[in-house]
Amino acid sequence: MSYRKSSAQTNDLFPREIDIEVCLKTLKIYQKMEGDVNCVVWDASLVLAKYLETMCHHKSDFLSGIKVLELGSGLGVVGLTAATLGAQVTLTDLPESLPLLRLNINENKAKIGSMGGYAIAESLIWGDNSSLLDEEFDMVVLADCIYYEEAVDSLFETLNNLNKTSAKKPVIYLTQELRDSDIQKNLWTSFYEKLIDKFEVERIPEEEQHSNYRSPDIVLLRINKK
Ligand SMILES: C[S@@+](CC[C@H](N)C(=O)[O-])C[C@H]1O[C@@H](n2cnc3c(N)ncnc32)[C@H](O)[C@@H]1O
């Protein structure tokens, strides 16, 4: 197996292939054998990536040319899917996640470009005053990010500050796996209560999602600023 040159450690990586049926392309996503939560592809990211694909199946230009921001990208499945389907995507995560994220962007570069899409990775720490908040995005995506007790308020603040200097508000698509532990249940409840206070929130029914990539344990929300 050969890897592209990158500052990511490559000897502990293994690839996962993810088909994008609607454009007959296969993403190759490198995961780590060992590490923290940002080292594997999470199911919630597959549900969101496949929902975007389903939307493109119904409306082929759904993502064409639009500016998309992904928060907490991890290995980049959602952002890379959107870029392969024609979007201009900025994938973001903590600084330490960027080498592997960039490796995954490089690995899929030819596929991303084939429909006019584009992908870059940048650091965006939730709650920080990033210059990305001054940019104008059409869409924001995030999968399985309501996970960290210490960071959930900062994540909400970032969502609330998007397109800060623009009158245009992005549509936000969020997936979240609902876990059984009391800590995770409370985290989700308190995040959701804050969310519905400031945003219009619509749960996308399972029958509108990809027929093979949906689950009663994973919520998919379409969110707009009130
Ligand atoms: C559970 S993982 C989900 C990753 C990816 N979205 C997926 O579903 O496969 C949560 C992601 O949030 C990132 N993250 C955690 N705390 C963060 C923070 N304070 N600011 C930005 N990103 C953060 C982690 O590095 C990780 O990639």
Side-chain angles (χ1 to χ4, degrees):
M1 188 183 298
S2 69
Y3 298 104
R4 283 166 204 273
K5 228 172 151 192
S6 160
S7 55
Q9 290 282 336
T10 51
N11 51 359
D12 66 343
L13 301 180
F14 64 103
R16 174 165 182 178
E17 297 202 328
I18 295 168
D19 292 329
I20 308 181
E21 301 144 79
V22 76
C23 63
L24 300 176
K25 302 226 159 39
T26 301
L27 292 176
K28 192 188 247 186
I29 303 289
Y30 284 107
Q31 307 182 99
K32 277 189 196 163
M33 301 281 188
E34 289 176 13
D36 201 356
V37 290
N38 56 356
C39 73
V40 290
V41 171
W42 291 70
D43 288 346
S45 70
L46 293 173
V47 170
L48 183 48
K50 289 288 173 180
Y51 176 70
L52 295 178
E53 192 187 319
T54 303
M55 292 303 287
C56 288
H57 179 69
H58 296 314
K59 188 174 179 291
S60 58
D61 65 351
F62 179 65
L63 291 167
S64 303
I66 70 165
K67 272 191 78 179
V68 176
L69 176 71
E70 182 176 17
L71 301 175
S73 297
L75 303 182
V77 172
V78 177
L80 287 171
T81 298
T84 306
L85 292 168
Q88 312 289 305
V89 186
T90 304
L91 298 94
T92 68
D93 208 294
L94 298 170
E96 57 267 33
S97 302
L98 297 184
L100 187 48
L101 193 49
R102 288 183 174 140
L103 179 79
N104 283 331
I105 291 174
N106 274 337
E107 181 62 44
N108 295 288
K109 217 170 200 135
K111 292 160 214 163
I112 292 168
S114 66
M115 282 174 67
Y118 177 76
I120 51 164
E122 296 199 17
S123 165
L124 197 167
I125 302 172
W126 305 330
D128 277 11
N129 193 11
S130 164
S131 59
L132 286 169
L133 301 177
D134 296 326
E135 287 190 32
E136 191 177 277
F137 291 98
D138 302 296
M139 183 186 289
V140 175
V141 289
L142 67 161
D144 225 351
C145 288
I146 323 305
Y147 188 80
Y148 310 88
E149 263 184 302
E150 67 286 0
V152 75
D153 288 345
S154 312
L155 172 60
F156 185 81
E157 191 185 323
T158 295
L159 283 174
N160 208 23
N161 280 330
L162 292 166
N163 286 20
K164 206 167 62 181
T165 56
S166 151
K168 184 173 169 185
K169 299 299 168 205
V171 59
I172 302 169
Y173 288 99
L174 176 157
T175 47
Q176 182 63 37
E177 182 167 343
L178 302 177
R179 298 180 171 86
D180 282 338
S181 75
D182 287 343
I183 291 179
Q184 289 292 328
K185 278 185 192 160
N186 291 338
L187 209 55
W188 174 249
T189 305
S190 71
F191 174 82
Y192 191 78
E193 279 169 3
K194 284 177 89 169
L195 197 66
I196 56 177
D197 189 40
K198 298 263 186 209
F199 294 85
E200 302 285 355
V201 179
E202 180 192 349
R203 186 164 175 166
I204 298 173
E206 274 185 56
E207 55 273 20
E208 289 179 23
Q209 300 177 34
H210 191 286
S211 51
N212 295 330
Y213 292 86
R214 60 187 179 190
S215 161
D217 297 341
I218 297 177
V219 284
L220 167 56
L221 304 180
R222 185 188 294 119
I223 302 165
N224 286 284
K225 197 86 182 273
K226 277 183 181 168

